[in-house]
Amino acid sequence: MKQRRKFLSRPLTTVGAAAAIALASTLAAAVPAIAASIINDWSTVQVPPPPKLEPVTINPKTTALLVLDIVKQLCNEKAPRCLATVPQVAKLLQEARANHMLVVYTLFLGPDQIGDVLPDVKPTGSEPVLRAVPDKFIGTDLEKILKAHHITTVIPVGTVANGAILYTASHAAQLGFNVVLPVDGMSSQSTYAEQYVAWNMANAPVIPLHVKLTAVDQMKF
């Protein structure tokens, strides 16, 4: 026992110290470095290439146009990107009605009324109007309405892109609906928000299997 204690108390030789350092270095190299958070890496993020827009042929009998939250509270001179989409949405709305498509409107939760929808894209009075949180399937009969009309494809347009568009389109895709998303029919208060929504819809897990990004002028009925 005394000999063992004497051995354990001996200082490391130069060779032994070198071996210990080498072993420690090997073990350290085997453990991956802890990655910085996205906040730390924010300035290094490279903008990905834009997703490709596809021409789309619409079947009016199985497609619904969802006009999301284009109301004066969200779409006004303080939100010029929303106002810029109104002519394209109005054009799409006209074509949808001419082809007897189902059109569904939504309002965000709050004091707004149906009369707050911008005049160029206002409902006719016979089209369903739902009041909901950003995901328009939550707390509403939207899924029930779509299935009652044998809808398999939805076209969400409106504002905001990183709210109603993102969550409603994603939910629709996860329910198995096809989603045709005209990028010139959605808006937000920043180009970055519109960009990441377009990228997410084209790259998120599962969602892209049911999504086609397009533009209003690339849609045919």
Side-chain angles (χ1 to χ4, degrees):
M1 177 64 79
K2 291 182 179 180
Q3 290 180 344
R4 184 182 178 188
R5 287 178 178 173
K6 184 177 181 181
F7 174 78
L8 291 176
S9 63
R10 290 177 183 173
L12 287 173
T13 65
T14 302
V15 175
I21 293 172
L23 177 60
S25 297
T26 301
L27 293 174
V31 178
I34 299 175
S37 74
I38 187 58
I39 301 302
N40 299 104
D41 289 340
W42 201 271
S43 63
T44 69
V45 176
Q46 299 296 312
V47 177
K52 183 180 179 181
L53 301 185
E54 303 180 57
V56 179
T57 299
I58 302 299
N59 181 349
K61 294 182 179 180
T62 58
T63 304
L65 177 63
L66 309 181
V67 184
L68 310 181
D69 301 353
I70 307 183
V71 293
K72 64 183 183 181
Q73 291 88 343
L74 298 176
C75 199
N76 50 49
E77 64 280 357
K78 293 182 179 179
R81 295 191 65 79
C82 183
L83 291 178
T85 67
V86 172
Q88 290 297 85
V89 173
K91 177 182 178 181
L92 184 57
L93 183 58
Q94 182 179 11
E95 292 177 340
R97 287 170 174 161
N99 285 278
H100 308 290
M101 271 176 52
L102 173 67
V103 178
V104 180
Y105 281 80
T106 72
L107 305 173
F108 62 90
L109 293 175
D112 57 293
Q113 301 297 324
I114 192 63
D116 293 330
V117 177
L118 299 195
D120 290 347
V121 293
K122 65 182 180 180
T124 61
S126 60
E127 295 157 336
V129 179
L130 307 174
R131 192 181 296 267
V133 296
D135 184 341
K136 305 307 178 182
F137 285 94
I138 294 179
T140 73
D141 289 331
L142 179 55
E143 183 180 1
K144 181 179 179 181
I145 291 170
L146 296 176
K147 290 183 175 179
H149 286 81
H150 308 291
I151 298 300
T152 58
T153 300
V154 296
I155 306 172
V157 293
T159 200
V160 290
N162 52 317
I165 294 292
L166 175 62
Y167 297 112
T168 304
S170 297
H171 196 152
Q174 292 177 82
L175 288 173
F177 291 99
N178 296 315
V179 178
V180 175
L181 181 55
V183 295
D184 52 348
M186 70 175 192
S187 65
S188 189
Q189 291 190 346
S190 74
T191 53
Y192 176 72
E194 294 175 25
Q195 182 184 57
Y196 86 69
V197 170
W199 185 90
N200 186 76
M201 296 304 296
N203 291 277
V206 179
I207 303 299
L209 298 175
H210 299 277
V211 174
K212 287 186 177 181
L213 297 183
T214 189
V216 171
D217 290 340
Q218 289 184 271
M219 301 170 67
K220 296 181 180 180
F221 291 81

